[in-house]
């Protein structure tokens, strides 16, 4: 039996809404086209148009967000006072080159790639919407569903806040999402109650001094040393000023300092991220981090200018919605299709929806079973086993049907 047949063998007929083979082939083609044409946050015009065209072809009436990218689409007949289930996808790509060498659908846009799997997320929600629209035409969709195709997830503080302001959550009682996980085999999902991601903020620092000759560092501010001490000492200081169980971590991604080996520069720039497992520690993080930077900079007589950009809180999976995703996956693919997962230090703006309504995110397995090479997220060679599209679609359609059957409001 093939791995695809194994994924289909348990519970396929327990619920309507499985993915027809003809539509599956179309969705794979849609995902590959999107993979070849990645667009950065708030620039997803081609992607938005492609989603809109396919939904309209199915007889639906999507609404483009006021920013011009991203869209919302309702399926089914609304009943006043009855909250609906929403399914969210993020549609933007990353500003990194696609480094896959043997791939017919690699990115055609220089320094742009769907290296986080948003093309898969989008295709899953689109496919679920098309299957549910067909069920609605047959009179077999008991409760309406909302599709949310959100722009700019990779742009702090994330496009979710803008989508919410544009009415994405009006009438919504629960919301679900998936995120690709290259550590999990295709055909499986990972679930966790409570926090599944971490808070993530961005940190930008400018250090300044009078500059001088490397022969006389004692007569000026040794800015290179000051920058180096900020890099090493600030994470250590912060780590001693908060409960270590909070997982508060300052990690640097860029340092720019100096131009010549015998010149002490006048200006240095550093940028990085602040990540935190605990939401209470996240609320304290700006004051703690800024105070630590100022202390280290002052010790080395450097003037510091700090831009602390608030990002996103952790994604906290609500137990009831987590159970809904588990039940949906078990109904489709059986007991072996769900595994536990750890809280990651990655950030996700899906958390902003969960500040308003209960919801949950599942980790969608995209690793080909038996593959030894793990293509991590945010790397140019990332790719996904496309069995994950079928699994995600059928997870979401089952969740929609089970939600309607088990929820009284």
């Amino acid at each position: 039996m093939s791995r695809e047949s194994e994924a289909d063998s348990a519970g396929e007929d327990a619920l309507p809404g499985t993915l027809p083979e003809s539509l599956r082939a179309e969705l794979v083609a849609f995902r590959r086209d999107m993979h070849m044409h990645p667009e950065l946050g708030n620039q997803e015009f081609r992607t938005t148009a492609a989603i809109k065209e396919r939904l309209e072809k199915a007889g639906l009436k999507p609404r483009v967000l006021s920013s011009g990218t991203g869209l919302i689409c309702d399926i089914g007949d609304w009943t006043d006072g009855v909250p609906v289930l929403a399914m969210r996808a993020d549609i933007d790509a990353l500003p990194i080159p696609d480094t896959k060498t043997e791939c017919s659908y690699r990115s055609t846009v220089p320094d742009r790639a769907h290296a986080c799997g948003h093309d898969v997320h989008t295709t899953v929600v689109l496919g679920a919407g098309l299957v549910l629209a067909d069920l609605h035409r047959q009179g077999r969709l008991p409760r309406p569903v909302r599709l949310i195709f959100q722009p700019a997830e990779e742009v702090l503080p994330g496009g979710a806040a803008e989508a919410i302001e544009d009415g994405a959550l009006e009438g919504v009682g629960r919301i679900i999402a998936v995120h690709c996980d290259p550590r999990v085999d295709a055909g499986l999902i990972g679930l966790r109650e409570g926090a599944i991601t971490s808070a993530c903020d961005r940190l930008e620092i400018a250090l300044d001094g009078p500059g001088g000759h490397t022969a006389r560092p004692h007569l000026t501010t040794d800015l290179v040393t000051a920058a180096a001490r900020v890099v090493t000492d600030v994470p250590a200081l912060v780590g001693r000023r908060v409960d270590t169980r909070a997982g508060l971590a300052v990690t640097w991604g860029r340092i720019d300092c100096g131009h010549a080996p015998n010149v002490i520069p006048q200006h240095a720039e550093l940028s990085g991220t602040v990540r935190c497992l605990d939401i209470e520690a996240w609320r304290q993080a700006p004051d703690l981090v800024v105070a630590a930077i100022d202390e280290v900079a002052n010790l080395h007589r450097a003037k510091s200018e700090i831009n602390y950009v608030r990002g996103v809180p952790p994604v906290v999976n609500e137990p009831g919605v987590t159970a809904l995703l588990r039940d949906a996956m078990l109904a489709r693919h059986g007991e072996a299709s769900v595994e536990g997962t750890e809280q990651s230090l990655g950030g996700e703006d899906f958390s902003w929806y969960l500040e308003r309504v209960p919801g949950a995110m599942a980790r969608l397995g995209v690793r080909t079973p038996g593959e030894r090479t793990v293509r991590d997220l945010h790397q140019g060679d990332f790719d996904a086993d496309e069995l994950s599209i079928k699994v995600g679609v059928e997870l979401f359609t089952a969740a929609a049907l089970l939600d309607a059957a088990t929820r009284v409001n």
Side-chain angles (χ1 to χ4, degrees):
M1 181 181 291
S2 71
R3 62 188 177 87
E4 297 184 14
S5 298
E6 290 173 348
D8 294 343
S9 61
E12 183 185 53
D13 298 325
L15 286 170
T18 53
L19 183 63
E21 186 59 33
S22 58
L23 180 56
R24 178 183 178 181
E26 179 190 347
L27 292 176
V28 168
F30 185 95
R31 180 256 167 171
R32 293 185 177 189
D33 180 75
M34 188 173 168
H35 198 87
M36 292 173 66
H37 301 91
E39 296 174 301
L40 299 184
N42 297 313
Q43 301 173 23
E44 312 97 331
F45 296 104
R46 183 186 187 277
T47 303
T48 298
I51 300 167
K52 181 174 182 288
E53 179 182 6
R54 186 60 184 92
L55 293 172
E56 289 177 338
K57 183 180 177 182
L60 300 171
K61 297 180 179 179
R63 173 174 67 87
V64 176
L65 299 180
S66 58
S67 64
T69 64
L71 62 161
I72 298 168
C73 184
D74 292 333
I75 303 169
D77 300 319
W78 281 72
T79 302
D80 290 342
V82 179
V84 302
L85 179 72
M87 303 173 178
R88 174 270 200 171
D90 36 11
I91 65 175
D92 58 325
L94 286 162
I96 64 175
D98 189 333
T99 59
K100 296 189 292 295
T101 56
E102 297 182 4
C103 179
S104 62
Y105 51 87
R106 69 193 300 266
S107 173
T108 61
V109 184
D111 300 320
R112 303 287 185 268
H114 271 292
C116 201
H118 293 189
D119 53 336
V120 174
H121 306 165
T122 299
T123 305
V124 163
V125 173
L126 175 63
L130 296 176
V131 173
L132 292 171
D134 188 55
L135 289 179
H136 174 60
R137 285 189 291 271
Q138 300 172 34
R140 302 174 72 189
L141 182 64
R143 179 175 291 185
V145 171
R146 172 167 295 162
L147 313 179
I148 301 172
F149 297 93
Q150 176 215 301
E153 189 276 330
E154 298 287 356
V155 182
L156 288 179
E162 181 182 336
I164 292 169
E165 290 178 6
D166 229 338
L169 291 182
E170 290 179 7
V172 171
R174 286 172 155 185
I175 187 168
I176 56 177
V178 292
H179 198 295
C180 290
D181 191 335
R183 300 166 303 171
V184 177
D185 282 353
L188 308 178
I189 65 168
L191 284 176
R192 174 187 177 90
E193 287 187 9
I196 193 171
T197 70
S198 301
C200 179
D201 299 334
R202 189 173 73 244
L203 189 59
E204 299 169 347
I205 305 169
L207 299 176
D208 290 286
H213 200 294
T214 55
R216 293 176 287 278
H218 59 292
L219 300 181
T220 187
T221 296
D222 188 350
L223 207 62
V224 174
T225 297
R229 299 308 300 188
V230 167
V231 167
T232 57
D233 291 354
V234 167
L237 280 174
V238 170
R240 288 296 178 266
R241 294 177 181 179
V242 69
D243 190 327
T244 54
R245 291 172 295 183
L248 183 59
V250 179
T251 307
W252 307 102
R254 184 180 72 91
I255 304 174
D256 187 0
C257 186
H259 300 283
N262 61 342
V263 177
I264 294 175
Q266 296 177 307
H267 183 74
E269 294 181 358
L270 303 86
S271 60
T273 59
V274 180
R275 299 178 186 272
C276 188
L277 298 172
D278 179 74
I279 195 165
E280 291 303 321
W282 177 66
R283 293 190 176 109
Q284 304 170 31
D287 291 340
L288 289 171
V289 173
V290 168
I293 293 167
D294 283 338
E295 285 182 32
V296 176
N298 290 337
L299 182 64
H300 293 275
R301 297 182 297 173
K303 180 182 177 182
S304 61
E305 183 176 336
I306 304 165
N307 181 25
Y308 193 108
V309 181
R310 215 49 164 140
V312 295
V315 170
V316 181
N317 283 349
E318 193 269 336
V321 186
T322 307
L324 172 67
L325 289 173
R326 179 179 292 107
D327 291 345
M329 191 65 179
L330 295 182
R332 292 293 192 209
H333 302 299
E335 289 289 340
S337 64
V338 179
E339 61 182 36
T341 190
E342 298 177 348
Q343 181 181 6
S344 81
L345 277 167
E348 235 289 354
D349 76 350
F350 185 65
S351 55
W352 292 123
Y353 298 104
L354 304 191
E355 296 276 297
R356 307 289 187 94
V357 298
M361 170 178 281
R363 300 202 181 281
L364 181 66
V366 296
R367 179 179 62 193
T368 299
E371 184 177 3
R372 294 182 178 181
T373 301
V374 177
R375 296 180 174 88
D376 203 0
L377 300 174
H378 290 212
Q379 292 186 348
D381 65 346
F382 172 79
D383 201 0
D385 188 313
E386 289 167 332
L387 171 62
S388 60
I389 296 172
K390 174 181 172 63
V391 172
V393 168
E394 295 186 344
L395 169 69
F396 276 8
T397 57
L401 296 171
L402 290 177
D403 178 62
T406 59
R407 198 152 52 102
V408 296
N409 56 42

